[in-house]
Amino acid sequence: MTELLSDTGRKTMLDPLCKAGWQIEADRDAISKTYQFADFTEAFAFMTRAALWAEKWNHHPEWTNVYKTVHVTLTTHDVGGLSALDAKLARKLDQLVT
Ligand SMILES: C[C@H](O)[C@H](O)[C@H]1CNC2=NC(N)=NC(=O)C2=N1
C-alpha cells in the first residue's frame, strides 16, 4: 500500500536525493530535477529507459523534454504527495544517467 512519506522517511530518503541535485518543490509535495544531455538523442534515450522502469513499477514521472534537456517532477498522485515510490524512481533515474 502506497502512503505518504513519514517525517523519518523524508529525512532518510530525500536528504540523499537533495544532495544528488533533486529539489523539493515549494508549492507542492513533489521533487524535481533537470537533466542535461549531449544532444536530443541522448535525452530521448534516457526517457525511453526511464519509461520502461516507470511502467514496470506503475509509477510515472511528470516530465518535459526540450531538445537536450529533460525536466522531471515526481510525486504520487494516488496519495497526493511524496511516497517511497518517488524516492525509488528518483534513484533509478539517477542510475540511468551514470
Ligand atoms: C491506476 C494506476 O495504478 C495509478 O494511476 C498509478 C499510475 N502511475 C502513477 N504515477 C504516479 N506518479 N503516481 C501515481 O499515483 C500513479 N498511480
Side-chain angles (χ1 to χ4, degrees):
M1 175 62 194
T2 307
E3 54 190 40
L4 285 174
L5 282 179
S6 65
D7 287 349
T8 313
R10 277 165 198 274
K11 186 116 198 78
T12 56
M13 291 186 211
L14 299 186
D15 279 5
L17 289 171
C18 289
K19 290 197 177 77
W22 288 86
Q23 296 197 319
I24 296 172
E25 296 285 281
D27 55 346
R28 61 191 290 222
D29 195 23
I31 53 173
S32 66
K33 183 169 180 175
T34 300
Y35 295 95
Q36 297 283 357
F37 296 91
D39 53 28
F40 174 75
T41 303
E42 291 292 320
F44 202 78
F46 163 75
M47 294 178 83
T48 303
R49 289 195 297 272
L52 296 175
W53 285 99
E55 270 298 279
K56 183 180 169 76
W57 291 339
N58 192 32
H59 195 65
H60 302 87
E62 299 173 16
W63 54 8
T64 58
N65 162 235
V66 179
Y67 181 34
K68 56 186 181 176
T69 301
V70 179
H71 182 72
V72 181
T73 301
L74 300 178
T75 190
T76 302
H77 308 115
D78 293 343
V79 298
L82 286 165
S83 74
L85 282 173
D86 299 304
K88 182 178 163 182
L89 187 56
R91 290 192 297 268
K92 177 56 71 180
L93 298 183
D94 283 349
Q95 275 177 20
L96 294 178
V97 297
T98 55

